[in-house]
Amino acid sequence: MSKILVNAVGDACPIPVTKTIHALSGMTEAGTVEVHVDNETAVQNLNRLATGKGLKFSAEKREEKLFPAAVSGTAPEEAACAPDNRDNTVVVIGTNCLGSRDDTLGATLMKGFLYALSQQERLPRTILFYNGGAKVTTEGSVSIEDLKNMEAQGVEIRTCGTCLNYYGLTDKLAVGSVTNMYDIVETMTSAGKVIRP
């Protein structure tokens, strides 16, 4: 029976969950992944993960901000190798903030969304950025590494050239390529599914 310890103390959502998924995928036999987190929201998210995968879950509070959570079960079967793990989904990002009301929170949520998207088993075919979303693909964006990771796996990252020009960011594009509204519309209408967070 194997046991893997994952330290996710101080990690924001969804990092504790993705760290746990990576640990589970690395198991070679039945065992437990013990994840240390520092908030109850992370514990609840790990519980949902375990329930969704049909695994056992337990958690306790040891200190003021230390919650060891255990996800136990049988190691997943080897997945068949696939040459392309993208599907015909297009993700459309029209702002640099997810949701409304608070831009600081919205920026944090957008970073979390793109990180979580980069960790999915099936990646989208294309991610389109326009209007304020153009700021996410330019120098200084906290999501560049996650976007480059997806681009390296074949995901097309395209940003509206008119929008880059409007915000004075034409020379600041840090990932992907420049596109236009015709291409954006054509890509969306030919997609099997369009996601707008």
Side-chain angles (χ1 to χ4, degrees):
M1 193 79 140
S2 65
K3 182 175 180 178
I4 300 172
L5 180 62
V6 173
N7 182 8
V9 173
D11 291 338
C13 170
I15 296 175
V17 169
T18 55
K19 280 185 173 181
T20 305
I21 291 170
H22 284 307
L24 287 167
S25 66
M27 290 172 61
T28 57
E29 60 182 352
T32 300
V33 175
E34 182 176 307
V35 189
H36 289 188
V37 294
D38 59 1
N39 62 85
E40 293 185 19
T41 300
V43 173
Q44 293 166 9
N45 289 336
L46 291 169
N47 189 11
R48 279 193 287 274
L49 169 68
T51 301
K53 292 185 174 292
L55 302 172
K56 293 179 183 176
F57 179 80
S58 63
E60 62 177 307
K61 183 175 182 179
R62 287 192 192 157
E63 300 170 15
E64 180 60 30
K65 288 195 172 184
L66 177 60
F67 300 81
V71 179
S72 306
T74 305
E77 292 182 8
E78 250 344 283
C81 291
D84 189 349
N85 67 341
R86 300 174 304 153
D87 61 18
N88 193 22
T89 297
V90 173
V91 177
V92 181
I93 309 287
T95 177
N96 61 325
C97 297
L98 195 57
S100 57
R101 301 271 183 189
D102 189 294
D103 288 350
T104 301
L105 174 60
T108 299
L109 294 175
M110 180 61 76
K111 175 176 171 46
F113 173 82
L114 290 171
Y115 174 78
L117 184 64
S118 74
Q119 300 300 305
Q120 297 303 301
E121 199 172 308
R122 297 290 292 175
L123 297 172
R125 176 169 51 91
T126 307
I127 308 176
L128 300 171
F129 294 87
Y130 58 75
N131 206 326
K135 297 175 183 178
V136 180
T137 60
T138 55
E139 293 174 11
S141 167
V142 294
S143 294
I144 296 300
E145 185 178 336
D146 296 326
L147 293 173
K148 285 185 174 180
N149 175 33
M150 288 189 279
E151 185 178 44
Q153 296 179 70
V155 177
E156 298 169 339
I157 311 292
R158 301 184 198 158
T159 304
C160 167
T162 300
C163 306
L164 288 168
N165 184 57
Y166 179 84
Y167 289 113
L169 297 170
T170 303
D171 299 327
K172 303 291 185 183
L173 188 66
V175 60
S177 60
V178 177
T179 190
N180 56 69
M181 194 51 66
Y182 183 88
D183 179 65
I184 289 172
V185 171
E186 188 176 55
T187 301
M188 290 172 67
T189 56
S190 64
K193 179 169 57 178
V194 175
I195 296 174
R196 294 183 182 89

